[in-house]
Amino acid sequence: FPRNPMIRWGYVATKFAQVLGSLFYAYYIFVRLCIPQFRNSSQETFNLRGLVLCIFNSILPGVLILFLVFFAFLHCWLNAFAEMLRFADRMFYK
């Protein structure tokens, strides 16, 4: 495999900071959008209308968290380790 001659530690730190920021943002989404929705539904009696509303109100936060997981793992985490291992194929198109 082709290798880069040196590791850019600033780039690695930036990617790990982005992973940490994504985790904090996912936590914020859970606390502000998901948990209150399910906390309110647990105090009511079960009905189909409440279940459907709870599901529909959780779709947007779920999609946001899904995008954050893809960004944090597939982009930031794997690029940070590719840089630390000096893997040069990530610059294939340059």
Side-chain angles (χ1 to χ4, degrees):
F1 293 105
R3 297 280 197 181
N4 285 339
M6 58 180 286
I7 299 172
R8 298 177 295 173
W9 290 107
Y11 181 79
V12 172
T14 302
K15 292 300 172 190
F16 281 134
Q18 288 176 353
V19 169
L20 191 64
S22 296
L23 290 174
F24 280 126
Y25 190 52
Y27 174 76
Y28 177 78
I29 290 172
F30 267 119
V31 168
R32 298 296 268 171
L33 298 175
C34 294
I35 293 174
Q37 184 66 34
F38 289 104
R39 186 177 294 140
N40 292 338
S41 67
S42 67
Q43 296 171 351
E44 300 172 0
T45 59
F46 178 76
N47 59 11
L48 186 61
R49 180 182 181 272
L51 177 67
V52 170
L53 284 174
C54 192
I55 290 171
F56 279 127
N57 287 334
S58 299
I59 289 174
L60 182 62
V63 169
L64 286 172
I65 289 172
L66 184 68
F67 285 147
L68 280 171
V69 167
F70 283 146
F71 173 74
F73 180 70
L74 294 176
H75 179 70
C76 299
W77 187 263
L78 293 179
N79 272 331
F81 277 96
E83 180 68 33
M84 286 189 295
L85 295 173
R86 298 183 296 138
F87 190 62
D89 268 357
R90 61 184 168 72
M91 292 188 220
F92 178 74
Y93 292 107
K94 282 192 175 182

